[in-house]
Amino acid sequence: MFNEVYDVIVVGAGHAGSEAAAAAANMGSKTLLITMNLQNIAQMSCNPAMGGIAKGQIVREIDALGGYSGIVSDTSAIQFKMLNKSKGPAMWSPRVQSDRMRFAEDWRLLLEQTQNLDFYQEMVSGLVVENGKVVGVKTSLGITVKAKSVVLTNGTFLNGLIHIGDKNFGGGRAGERAATGITEQLIELGFESGRMKTGTPPRVDGRSLDYSKMIEQPGDLNPEKFSYLDTTKPLENQRSCFMTYTSEKVHDLLREGFDRSPMFNGRIKSLGPRYCPSIEDKINRFADKDRHQLFVEPEGWNTVEMYINGFSTSLPEDVQFNALRSVAGFENVKFFRPGYAIEYDYFPPTQLKHTLETKLVDGLYFAGQINGTTGYEEAASQGLMAGINAALKVQEKDSFILQRNEAYIGVLIDDLITKGTEEPYRMFTSRAEYRTLLRQDNADIRLTPRGYDLGLASEKRLKRMEEKLNASNQFVQFFKDTSVTANDANVVLESKNSASVKQQGKMFKLFARPNIDMDDMRKFEKVETYIQENNLDREVLEQAEIQVKYAGYISKEKNNADKLNRLENIKIPANFNYSQLKSMSLEAREKLNKIQPVTISQASRISGVSPADISVLLVFMGR
């Protein structure tokens, strides 16, 4: 392998690296995955779960494109929940509780079965760059491996520093050393770097907890799954999580350790995730709250290890222990390991193109926490896109970019490279202006054809999606074409306390009422007969119902997206000198010169660039 020239080398085998390696290899590129420990491929460093608000949509998108995260989430799941079911379908978000050990094992086995993929265990200490192009990597043993492109997915390992109370030591994750050398070289090459922080809670012995004092959190009665493929069936048995609360006494015990907290005594200077704060940060920022939720999450089917979601901390271990013992159900708790915080290097993502290739070094790609994001799902989606684009570049094919109206993945990457981030970036549904279009239920319809064109999604997967789309479209047309008498309609309407009708009308109009659902419509014999004769499954019924109920919203968002895409089609010349546009504000000129947007639409989303500045640019370009 040392004499080979690889098409793609992926550095790091976390969620980003695993997806990047799988994508590049499955697209026919000779790929090498280098990681410091092959036993920890796709390790769940923090909570044992995949999906959640907006994150679940991302996992579905990865799956639709032909990535592996959805498949592994299903094969290793111990609980499934569809979050936000009480809200509109744009907010529905799937989430699984995972078996941590099985998740990593399933990922490794999938990767080992992937053609064109080699593995090597060692630390990469630097890059080989010639004439502004990456041509390989150097390892800590002094070995050089040549490549046509390199994807860096270093996670929290770049100069990682772990903090527990007044102690700190180098490390990229508990029990693993930090990676050194790469940051320093990238800075020499002209890259700007920064520091970020994240944290994790204590892991405890589940045998030492009293669950009778907690509130059980079971999975869904009729669980679904992530992948659109039939690789697994929905869960028949599930493990419950449990919920409990902190108290004023717990908060007081935690406050006693604040003077030894690296977050408060100045030893940690970097910013942590705003939307997943440590317990000490929560009781400091939200001093008016007398309690906070804690979720006790099993780490797997058979292990007794429990993850205490909501109690992320870097306080001294004795403070963590004493405070947790005052939580209901934790009176006799035993630790497996304390919580800790970790600081690590990242590189502001405004230094990247939409393909995740760096602007400074040709053929070099960044994906995951190196770009300032937090979360397995955000990392995995970037890895997938970086792996795809690295393979396409080597194959001398057009790059693959998802627009904001096509996928949450498109929103994520556009936000990162256009706006940058100074704190760990997490995806939310509110970040997507077209979230009615970007639902978890239609990710396959949106993206499977794109994945098929890339060679990642199989023909079988494409055919399955097309059958679902055709069946749901025909079912919607059935509602538009089929009439119902006033008497029949009113029987259903009265049962739902909905206003009655006076004359015969189309079923579509009846179904569009907000308080009428598919179960109500199935009370009509014509509807039930159609479903049975056409053997319609849950996915088709759900898709048809959404298309009927949200037809107006979907149409409006599509029109808005079409208007935006007109600006996406107006390209800005490469290396355009904005300093010549004296009518434009100074801030806009500085920001535009730094980020070098590719289109007018991207330029309009840069912070500090006003509509007036865009008008100046359009006039200059003859528009």
Side-chain angles (χ1 to χ4, degrees):
M1 62 174 278
F2 301 128
N3 296 323
E4 291 191 56
V5 178
Y6 283 92
D7 293 321
V8 182
I9 289 179
V10 178
V11 180
H15 299 265
S18 296
E19 286 287 6
N26 282 325
M27 290 172 66
S29 291
K30 185 65 177 172
T31 305
L32 176 65
L33 179 59
I34 305 183
T35 186
M36 291 165 66
N37 189 346
L38 285 171
Q39 304 307 313
N40 293 336
I41 285 177
Q43 177 85 307
M44 290 181 137
S45 309
C46 203
N47 63 318
M50 286 291 282
I53 307 301
K55 293 168 175 280
Q57 282 87 327
I58 289 175
V59 177
R60 282 263 162 97
E61 290 176 351
I62 292 170
D63 182 73
L65 285 166
Y68 288 169
S69 288
I71 295 169
V72 176
S73 295
D74 288 339
T75 60
S76 61
I78 64 175
Q79 186 195 88
F80 183 95
K81 274 194 171 182
M82 184 67 76
L83 307 181
N84 282 342
K85 260 294 201 180
S86 61
K87 300 180 181 178
M91 305 296 285
W92 298 352
S93 301
R95 182 184 190 269
V96 295
Q97 203 68 32
S98 302
D99 184 312
R100 183 190 300 275
M101 290 182 283
R102 185 178 291 184
F103 186 93
E105 179 186 28
D106 289 354
W107 248 114
R108 175 163 176 164
L109 293 177
L110 265 179
L111 288 173
E112 287 184 359
Q113 294 161 20
T114 301
Q115 297 294 313
N116 306 312
L117 181 57
D118 291 344
F119 302 85
Y120 188 58
Q121 177 173 295
E122 209 196 319
M123 184 176 85
V124 170
S125 56
L127 304 168
V128 182
V129 178
E130 297 176 359
N131 301 317
K133 177 175 173 55
V134 69
V135 294
V137 300
K138 293 177 183 175
T139 73
S140 57
L141 292 178
I143 298 166
T144 295
V145 188
K146 294 183 178 179
K148 298 173 184 175
S149 64
V150 173
V151 182
L152 292 184
T153 68
N154 303 82
T156 60
F157 282 77
L158 292 179
N159 293 321
L161 186 65
I162 291 173
H163 296 268
I164 303 177
D166 44 18
K167 308 178 186 75
N168 64 66
F169 48 92
R173 193 160 48 201
E176 297 179 70
R177 60 181 173 151
T180 56
I182 292 177
T183 295
E184 294 73 15
Q185 183 186 9
L186 289 173
I187 290 171
E188 284 181 17
L189 288 166
F191 286 90
E192 174 191 347
S193 75
R195 294 283 277 178
M196 278 189 178
K197 172 188 87 78
T198 191
T200 192
R203 309 311 199 267
V204 307
D205 190 332
R207 297 169 298 183
S208 66
L209 304 180
D210 184 352
Y211 300 102
S212 67
K213 296 181 179 179
M214 306 180 199
I215 304 165
E216 187 173 5
Q217 303 284 298
D220 287 350
L221 283 174
N222 297 300
E224 300 175 34
K225 56 193 194 72
F226 265 116
S227 180
Y228 291 100
L229 291 176
D230 291 327
T231 47
T232 59
K233 295 180 180 178
L235 287 169
E236 293 181 1
N237 300 307
Q238 301 185 68
R239 278 202 72 175
S240 290
C241 298
F242 292 84
M243 183 174 70
T244 185
Y245 292 91
T246 61
S247 64
E248 284 288 5
K249 181 181 178 182
V250 174
H251 297 177
D252 289 341
L253 288 168
L254 289 167
R255 288 189 186 100
E256 288 178 11
F258 276 12
D259 61 328
R260 297 162 62 199
S261 165
M263 198 176 80
F264 293 131
N265 63 20
R267 287 223 322 279
I268 292 179
K269 296 181 171 61
S270 48
L271 286 172
R274 177 189 301 265
Y275 303 103
C276 189
S278 64
I279 188 65
E280 56 264 42
D281 196 18
K282 279 193 277 194
I283 64 175
N284 185 54
R285 281 167 52 191
F286 308 110
D288 57 317
K289 292 188 177 292
D290 56 8
R291 67 176 191 172
H292 294 283
Q293 289 179 334
L294 299 180
F295 291 93
V296 181
E297 301 179 349
E299 296 264 352
W301 281 115
N302 302 312
T303 182
V304 298
E305 187 174 358
M306 296 286 171
Y307 177 92
I308 313 306
N309 197 337
F311 205 87
S312 176
T313 181
S314 58
L315 286 165
E317 59 271 36
D318 59 317
V319 176
Q320 297 182 32
F321 182 71
N322 291 332
L324 257 187
R325 282 217 154 183
S326 293
V327 172
F330 282 74
E331 293 82 0
N332 299 303
V333 70
K334 294 180 180 179
F335 270 27
F336 271 21
R337 74 172 197 230
Y340 63 87
I342 181 167
E343 286 187 289
Y344 55 93
D345 295 335
Y346 86 105
F347 290 82
T350 51
Q351 301 171 100
L352 304 175
K353 303 173 185 176
H354 270 94
T355 57
L356 297 180
E357 185 182 19
T358 66
K359 295 173 181 175
L360 281 174
V361 177
D362 192 50
L364 178 63
Y365 297 77
F366 291 171
Q369 285 180 279
I370 192 173
N371 289 336
T373 58
T374 179
Y376 308 144
E377 303 83 0
E378 289 88 343
S381 66
Q382 292 171 70
L384 177 73
M385 296 298 284
I388 288 170
N389 280 304
L392 289 171
K393 187 179 180 78
V394 170
Q395 295 165 10
E396 298 183 349
K397 295 178 180 177
D398 291 340
S399 57
F400 179 69
I401 295 169
L402 291 170
Q403 303 299 333
R404 296 181 70 92
N405 64 308
E406 289 183 292
Y408 272 92
I409 298 172
V411 175
L412 166 68
I413 293 173
D414 186 67
D415 277 356
L416 290 174
I417 70 161
T418 301
K419 301 172 184 175
T421 186
E422 295 178 352
E423 61 184 49
Y425 178 103
R426 177 179 177 178
M427 179 53 72
F428 290 100
T429 50
S430 58
R431 296 191 191 274
E433 58 270 50
Y434 303 113
R435 54 187 172 273
T436 305
L437 300 179
L438 309 182
R439 306 182 310 276
Q440 56 82 30
D441 62 90
N442 71 348
D444 56 340
I445 294 170
R446 289 184 279 120
L447 298 175
T448 298
R450 306 290 302 275
Y452 178 75
D453 290 342
L454 289 166
L456 289 177
S458 66
E459 188 172 354
K460 178 183 176 183
R461 183 189 279 266
L462 180 67
K463 186 177 179 182
R464 178 186 168 94
M465 180 281 296
E466 289 172 341
E467 288 172 352
K468 168 186 166 181
L469 179 60
N470 290 336
S472 58
N473 285 344
Q474 287 170 16
F475 197 23
V476 170
Q477 193 61 46
F478 165 82
F479 287 116
K480 290 180 177 178
D481 295 341
T482 307
S483 299
V484 60
T485 67
N487 286 340
D488 288 345
N490 288 333
V491 171
V492 171
L493 292 173
E494 287 167 11
S495 70
K496 300 300 288 275
N497 295 318
S498 188
S500 60
V501 294
K502 296 180 179 179
Q503 59 188 27
Q504 177 172 298
K506 298 298 184 185
M507 282 189 171
F508 186 94
K509 189 173 182 180
L510 186 70
F511 198 4
R513 293 195 182 196
N515 57 341
I516 302 298
D517 58 27
M518 183 64 78
D519 288 338
D520 296 317
M521 297 305 294
R522 294 184 75 162
K523 293 173 183 175
F524 298 112
E525 185 178 346
K526 290 178 183 177
V527 176
E528 186 60 28
T529 300
Y530 185 94
I531 291 171
Q532 298 301 326
E533 288 180 349
N534 291 279
N535 197 26
L536 303 185
D537 61 19
R538 180 199 55 78
E539 284 188 32
V540 172
L541 299 185
E542 183 180 83
Q543 190 64 219
E545 182 166 3
I546 291 168
Q547 292 295 332
V548 171
K549 290 195 160 312
Y550 295 88
Y553 296 104
I554 292 169
S555 176
K556 185 176 180 181
E557 281 202 359
K558 281 182 177 175
N559 288 336
N560 289 339
D562 288 342
K563 291 175 184 175
L564 177 79
N565 284 338
R566 291 172 203 157
L567 292 179
E568 289 287 0
N569 292 329
I570 305 176
K571 305 292 184 184
I572 301 173
N575 302 314
F576 186 83
N577 181 13
Y578 295 91
S579 300
Q580 62 186 306
L581 304 182
K582 302 302 182 184
S583 302
M584 187 180 282
S585 70
L586 180 61
E587 181 185 7
R589 279 179 275 165
E590 289 177 353
K591 294 270 182 78
L592 290 164
N593 274 324
K594 180 181 180 181
I595 294 173
Q596 286 292 317
V598 178
T599 67
I600 293 291
S601 181
Q602 186 196 348
S604 70
R605 294 190 292 272
I606 296 172
S607 174
V609 177
S610 70
D613 296 320
I614 295 298
S615 295
V616 171
L617 183 56
L618 285 168
V619 168
F620 183 85
M621 294 178 66
R623 297 286 186 144

